[in-house]
Amino acid sequence: MHFSLQLRPSEAHLHARRGEGPESTPAPFNMESGLWTCAMDWNNVATIEESAPFGLPPGSERVNDSVGVYGELPFVFPIKAFVTGGSWAPGAPPALPSALKVRMSSIGPETGGEKQLRISVWGGPQVMLALGPRSAITRWSFGHAANNDKASKAASATGELPDGLPPPRDDCDCYWVLFNEGGVEPTRGRAEAFNFTVAVKPGDLRMDIWSTHLETVSPRIQAHQQRLPHWVSMAGWVSELQVHNIRV
């Protein structure tokens, strides 16, 4: 099983990085960072472009959010259909409160040509991922949590992956996972946040995973906010996104 990785830490609507590295290596190569601006407006950022062109960061270009599993952008929740057509302005990477780290390993015997892939995640208090294509995945360990019937609980107790997967999504050929952490002592990247196992058919599997730091605002985001007209209400934060390409 072969793993490769791309990284994208982003700002405000996105400071991001990209790169490629071996399994379990969080350090990015050939990093790409920038400011992603999107709008919950019928015309997205076109309204700002037409009415206040000074409002977008210098060097902004329309972003292609049709690539990858879910646009290769750190959407907060699966809302791509509502904020498509944003802009991207390259720039220096932001400071992140904690780094996102992913470890993958092949576990268990091969059954019927498929392999089991264990994915462990360290990151911030909010992590999201999109895993696809759906046709590559036959089962996963989240099945017993989403489905509380006796068969799923029995499968979990024996260490087997439960049957059953979520229904298809309209916005991607993927399965979507959202992790939120709170409480008195959140891990914040100091320890494993969560892990799961998927059974995968031979071929290519892709995972886009990102951590959003909603309470962290970079100086570039603050400068961006000053450029926007008074009739725009802006929320900004820093994020880190990784793209994992897996050959089974």
Side-chain angles (χ1 to χ4, degrees):
M1 188 176 291
H2 171 74
F3 307 98
S4 66
L5 150 70
Q6 290 180 308
L7 296 175
R8 197 183 225 189
S10 61
E11 183 172 49
H13 297 143
L14 183 62
H15 238 137
R17 306 175 190 166
R18 278 179 158 177
E20 294 202 359
E23 174 187 1
S24 304
T25 302
F29 300 88
N30 301 320
M31 292 189 301
E32 177 189 0
S33 300
L35 192 66
W36 172 42
T37 305
C38 60
M40 283 192 163
D41 182 280
W42 181 261
N43 298 312
N44 204 287
V45 294
T47 301
I48 298 177
E49 290 176 326
E50 295 171 3
S51 303
F54 55 84
L56 293 177
S60 292
E61 296 182 357
R62 285 301 183 98
V63 68
N64 180 9
D65 54 18
S66 65
V67 298
V69 182
Y70 205 79
E72 292 186 3
L73 295 167
F75 293 93
V76 178
F77 307 118
I79 58 172
K80 185 173 73 168
F82 300 98
V83 295
T84 187
S87 68
W88 175 267
L96 299 169
S98 60
L100 179 63
K101 183 170 67 174
V102 177
R103 290 181 178 172
M104 302 185 190
S105 58
S106 179
I107 62 172
E110 187 171 332
T111 304
E114 67 180 29
K115 293 183 179 180
Q116 289 193 13
L117 175 64
R118 181 181 177 85
I119 301 173
S120 301
V121 178
W122 286 252
Q126 186 179 62
V127 177
M128 280 157 278
L129 66 89
L131 192 66
R134 294 179 62 256
S135 59
I137 302 169
T138 59
R139 292 168 296 156
W140 67 352
S141 55
F142 288 131
H144 76 273
N147 185 358
N148 290 320
D149 61 23
K150 293 181 179 179
S152 292
K153 290 182 178 179
S156 177
T158 60
E160 298 178 0
L161 295 180
D163 294 325
L165 289 164
R169 301 184 57 85
D170 293 332
D171 55 352
C172 70
D173 181 19
C174 71
Y175 294 108
W176 179 281
V177 177
L178 166 64
F179 171 82
N180 275 308
E181 184 179 38
V184 178
E185 288 292 337
T187 62
R188 297 191 182 279
R190 297 186 297 267
E192 182 186 66
F194 67 97
N195 66 75
F196 63 101
T197 303
V198 291
V200 185
K201 297 178 182 178
D204 294 325
L205 180 70
R206 177 159 166 151
M207 182 177 72
D208 291 5
I209 181 169
W210 55 96
S211 179
T212 57
H213 304 278
L214 301 179
E215 297 180 356
T216 302
V217 179
S218 70
R220 194 176 181 203
I221 294 174
Q222 294 174 331
H224 180 30
Q225 192 168 15
Q226 296 300 315
R227 284 192 295 267
L228 292 171
H230 66 87
W231 42 266
V232 175
S233 176
M234 173 183 162
W237 55 85
V238 298
S239 302
E240 179 180 6
L241 182 143
Q242 300 182 4
V243 175
H244 294 262
N245 297 293
I246 306 153
R247 172 63 60 85
V248 179

Short mmCIF file of all heavy atoms in Angstrom, two decimals, residues 93-125:
data_model
loop_
_atom_site.label_atom_id
_atom_site.label_comp_id
_atom_site.label_asym_id
_atom_site.label_seq_id
_atom_site.Cartn_x
_atom_site.Cartn_y
_atom_site.Cartn_z
N PRO A 93 2.41 31.36 4.69
CA PRO A 93 1.55 30.56 5.57
C PRO A 93 1.32 31.24 6.91
O PRO A 93 2.20 31.95 7.41
CB PRO A 93 2.30 29.24 5.72
CG PRO A 93 3.73 29.60 5.49
CD PRO A 93 3.70 30.69 4.45
N PRO A 94 0.17 31.05 7.51
CA PRO A 94 -0.11 31.63 8.83
C PRO A 94 0.47 30.77 9.94
O PRO A 94 0.83 29.62 9.73
CB PRO A 94 -1.64 31.62 8.89
CG PRO A 94 -1.99 30.38 8.13
CD PRO A 94 -0.98 30.28 7.01
N ALA A 95 0.56 31.34 11.13
CA ALA A 95 0.91 30.56 12.31
C ALA A 95 -0.31 29.76 12.74
O ALA A 95 -1.43 30.28 12.76
CB ALA A 95 1.37 31.48 13.43
N LEU A 96 -0.11 28.48 13.05
CA LEU A 96 -1.20 27.60 13.42
C LEU A 96 -1.09 27.22 14.90
O LEU A 96 0.01 26.95 15.38
CB LEU A 96 -1.19 26.33 12.57
CG LEU A 96 -1.36 26.53 11.07
CD1 LEU A 96 -1.06 25.23 10.32
CD2 LEU A 96 -2.77 27.00 10.76
N PRO A 97 -2.20 27.19 15.64
CA PRO A 97 -2.14 26.81 17.06
C PRO A 97 -1.64 25.39 17.27
O PRO A 97 -0.99 25.08 18.26
CB PRO A 97 -3.60 26.94 17.52
CG PRO A 97 -4.25 27.83 16.52
CD PRO A 97 -3.55 27.56 15.22
N SER A 98 -1.95 24.49 16.34
CA SER A 98 -1.49 23.11 16.41
C SER A 98 -1.45 22.55 15.01
O SER A 98 -2.20 22.97 14.13
CB SER A 98 -2.41 22.26 17.30
OG SER A 98 -3.73 22.25 16.80
N ALA A 99 -0.55 21.60 14.80
CA ALA A 99 -0.39 21.00 13.48
C ALA A 99 -1.30 19.79 13.32
O ALA A 99 -1.60 19.07 14.28
CB ALA A 99 1.07 20.58 13.27
N LEU A 100 -1.73 19.59 12.10
CA LEU A 100 -2.53 18.42 11.76
C LEU A 100 -1.59 17.29 11.35
O LEU A 100 -0.71 17.48 10.52
CB LEU A 100 -3.47 18.77 10.60
CG LEU A 100 -4.39 17.66 10.07
CD1 LEU A 100 -5.36 17.20 11.15
CD2 LEU A 100 -5.15 18.16 8.85
N LYS A 101 -1.77 16.12 11.96
CA LYS A 101 -0.91 14.98 11.66
C LYS A 101 -1.78 13.75 11.42
O LYS A 101 -2.74 13.50 12.16
CB LYS A 101 0.06 14.71 12.81
CG LYS A 101 1.04 13.57 12.53
CD LYS A 101 2.13 13.50 13.58
CE LYS A 101 1.61 13.11 14.93
NZ LYS A 101 2.71 12.90 15.92
N VAL A 102 -1.45 13.02 10.37
CA VAL A 102 -2.20 11.82 10.00
C VAL A 102 -1.23 10.65 9.88
O VAL A 102 -0.17 10.78 9.26
CB VAL A 102 -2.95 12.01 8.66
CG1 VAL A 102 -3.66 10.72 8.26
CG2 VAL A 102 -3.94 13.16 8.77
N ARG A 103 -1.58 9.53 10.46
CA ARG A 103 -0.81 8.30 10.32
C ARG A 103 -1.70 7.23 9.73
O ARG A 103 -2.84 7.06 10.15
CB ARG A 103 -0.24 7.85 11.66
CG ARG A 103 0.86 8.75 12.20
CD ARG A 103 1.41 8.25 13.51
NE ARG A 103 2.50 9.10 14.00
CZ ARG A 103 3.05 8.99 15.20
NH1 ARG A 103 2.60 8.06 16.04
NH2 ARG A 103 4.03 9.79 15.56
N MET A 104 -1.18 6.50 8.78
CA MET A 104 -1.93 5.44 8.12
C MET A 104 -1.13 4.15 8.15
O MET A 104 0.10 4.17 8.03
CB MET A 104 -2.23 5.80 6.67
CG MET A 104 -3.02 7.07 6.49
SD MET A 104 -3.44 7.34 4.76
CE MET A 104 -4.07 9.02 4.85
N SER A 105 -1.83 3.05 8.29
CA SER A 105 -1.17 1.74 8.26
C SER A 105 -2.16 0.70 7.77
O SER A 105 -3.37 0.81 8.00
CB SER A 105 -0.64 1.36 9.64
OG SER A 105 -1.69 1.33 10.60
N SER A 106 -1.64 -0.29 7.09
CA SER A 106 -2.45 -1.41 6.63
C SER A 106 -2.48 -2.44 7.74
O SER A 106 -1.44 -2.83 8.27
CB SER A 106 -1.85 -2.00 5.35
OG SER A 106 -2.61 -3.09 4.90
N ILE A 107 -3.67 -2.89 8.11
CA ILE A 107 -3.80 -3.82 9.23
C ILE A 107 -4.61 -5.04 8.81
O ILE A 107 -5.41 -4.98 7.86
CB ILE A 107 -4.48 -3.17 10.45
CG1 ILE A 107 -5.91 -2.72 10.11
CG2 ILE A 107 -3.66 -1.99 10.95
CD1 ILE A 107 -6.68 -2.23 11.31
N GLY A 108 -4.43 -6.14 9.54
CA GLY A 108 -5.24 -7.33 9.34
C GLY A 108 -4.94 -8.03 8.03
O GLY A 108 -4.28 -7.50 7.14
N PRO A 109 -5.44 -9.23 7.88
CA PRO A 109 -5.22 -9.99 6.65
C PRO A 109 -6.06 -9.45 5.50
O PRO A 109 -7.10 -8.83 5.70
CB PRO A 109 -5.67 -11.41 7.03
CG PRO A 109 -6.69 -11.19 8.11
CD PRO A 109 -6.22 -9.99 8.88
N GLU A 110 -5.57 -9.66 4.29
CA GLU A 110 -6.31 -9.26 3.10
C GLU A 110 -7.46 -10.22 2.89
O GLU A 110 -7.29 -11.44 2.92
CB GLU A 110 -5.38 -9.25 1.90
CG GLU A 110 -6.01 -8.69 0.64
CD GLU A 110 -4.99 -8.51 -0.45
OE1 GLU A 110 -3.81 -8.29 -0.14
OE2 GLU A 110 -5.38 -8.59 -1.63
N THR A 111 -8.66 -9.71 2.69
CA THR A 111 -9.86 -10.54 2.55
C THR A 111 -10.55 -10.22 1.24
O THR A 111 -10.98 -9.09 1.02
CB THR A 111 -10.84 -10.31 3.72
OG1 THR A 111 -10.15 -10.54 4.95
CG2 THR A 111 -12.02 -11.25 3.61
N GLY A 112 -10.65 -11.21 0.37
CA GLY A 112 -11.36 -11.00 -0.89
C GLY A 112 -10.77 -9.91 -1.74
O GLY A 112 -11.51 -9.22 -2.47
N GLY A 113 -9.47 -9.68 -1.65
CA GLY A 113 -8.83 -8.64 -2.45
C GLY A 113 -8.83 -7.27 -1.81
O GLY A 113 -8.12 -6.37 -2.26
N GLU A 114 -9.60 -7.06 -0.73
CA GLU A 114 -9.63 -5.76 -0.09
C GLU A 114 -8.69 -5.74 1.12
O GLU A 114 -8.36 -6.77 1.70
CB GLU A 114 -11.05 -5.39 0.35
CG GLU A 114 -11.62 -6.26 1.45
CD GLU A 114 -13.02 -5.85 1.85
OE1 GLU A 114 -13.76 -5.32 0.99
OE2 GLU A 114 -13.39 -6.09 3.01
N LYS A 115 -8.25 -4.55 1.48
CA LYS A 115 -7.37 -4.36 2.62
C LYS A 115 -8.03 -3.43 3.62
O LYS A 115 -8.88 -2.61 3.27
CB LYS A 115 -6.03 -3.78 2.18
CG LYS A 115 -5.20 -4.71 1.31
CD LYS A 115 -3.86 -4.08 0.98
CE LYS A 115 -3.00 -5.01 0.13
NZ LYS A 115 -1.69 -4.41 -0.20
N GLN A 116 -7.60 -3.55 4.87
CA GLN A 116 -8.07 -2.65 5.91
C GLN A 116 -7.01 -1.60 6.19
O GLN A 116 -5.84 -1.92 6.39
CB GLN A 116 -8.41 -3.42 7.19
CG GLN A 116 -9.65 -4.26 7.07
CD GLN A 116 -10.15 -4.78 8.41
OE1 GLN A 116 -9.72 -4.31 9.47
NE2 GLN A 116 -11.05 -5.74 8.38
N LEU A 117 -7.43 -0.35 6.18
CA LEU A 117 -6.55 0.78 6.39
C LEU A 117 -6.95 1.48 7.68
O LEU A 117 -8.09 1.90 7.84
CB LEU A 117 -6.66 1.76 5.21
CG LEU A 117 -5.89 3.07 5.31
CD1 LEU A 117 -4.39 2.82 5.35
CD2 LEU A 117 -6.26 3.98 4.14
N ARG A 118 -6.00 1.59 8.59
CA ARG A 118 -6.24 2.28 9.86
C ARG A 118 -5.71 3.71 9.74
O ARG A 118 -4.55 3.92 9.36
CB ARG A 118 -5.57 1.57 11.02
CG ARG A 118 -5.81 2.24 12.38
CD ARG A 118 -5.09 1.47 13.48
NE ARG A 118 -5.22 2.11 14.77
CZ ARG A 118 -6.25 1.93 15.60
NH1 ARG A 118 -7.22 1.09 15.24
NH2 ARG A 118 -6.31 2.55 16.76
N ILE A 119 -6.53 4.68 10.08
CA ILE A 119 -6.18 6.10 9.96
C ILE A 119 -6.27 6.74 11.34
O ILE A 119 -7.32 6.70 11.98
CB ILE A 119 -7.12 6.82 8.98
CG1 ILE A 119 -7.04 6.16 7.59
CG2 ILE A 119 -6.78 8.30 8.89
CD1 ILE A 119 -8.03 6.68 6.59
N SER A 120 -5.16 7.30 11.81
CA SER A 120 -5.11 7.98 13.10
C SER A 120 -4.86 9.47 12.86
O SER A 120 -4.04 9.84 12.02
CB SER A 120 -3.98 7.41 13.97
OG SER A 120 -4.16 6.03 14.20
N VAL A 121 -5.56 10.31 13.63
CA VAL A 121 -5.53 11.75 13.39
C VAL A 121 -5.19 12.50 14.68
O VAL A 121 -5.77 12.24 15.73
CB VAL A 121 -6.89 12.24 12.85
CG1 VAL A 121 -6.87 13.76 12.64
CG2 VAL A 121 -7.24 11.52 11.55
N TRP A 122 -4.23 13.42 14.56
CA TRP A 122 -3.93 14.41 15.59
C TRP A 122 -4.23 15.78 15.00
O TRP A 122 -3.90 16.04 13.85
CB TRP A 122 -2.45 14.37 15.97
CG TRP A 122 -1.98 13.23 16.79
CD1 TRP A 122 -1.62 13.24 18.11
CD2 TRP A 122 -1.77 11.88 16.35
NE1 TRP A 122 -1.21 11.99 18.51
CE2 TRP A 122 -1.29 11.14 17.45
CE3 TRP A 122 -1.95 11.23 15.13
CZ2 TRP A 122 -0.99 9.79 17.36
CZ3 TRP A 122 -1.65 9.88 15.04
CH2 TRP A 122 -1.19 9.18 16.15
N GLY A 123 -4.84 16.66 15.78
CA GLY A 123 -5.15 17.97 15.21
C GLY A 123 -5.83 18.88 16.19
O GLY A 123 -5.81 18.66 17.40
N GLY A 124 -6.47 19.92 15.66
CA GLY A 124 -7.16 20.90 16.48
C GLY A 124 -8.51 20.39 16.96
O GLY A 124 -8.89 19.24 16.73
N PRO A 125 -9.28 21.27 17.60
CA PRO A 125 -10.57 20.86 18.16
C PRO A 125 -11.66 20.61 17.12
O PRO A 125 -12.69 20.05 17.44
CB PRO A 125 -10.96 22.04 19.06
CG PRO A 125 -10.20 23.21 18.50
CD PRO A 125 -8.93 22.65 17.95
#
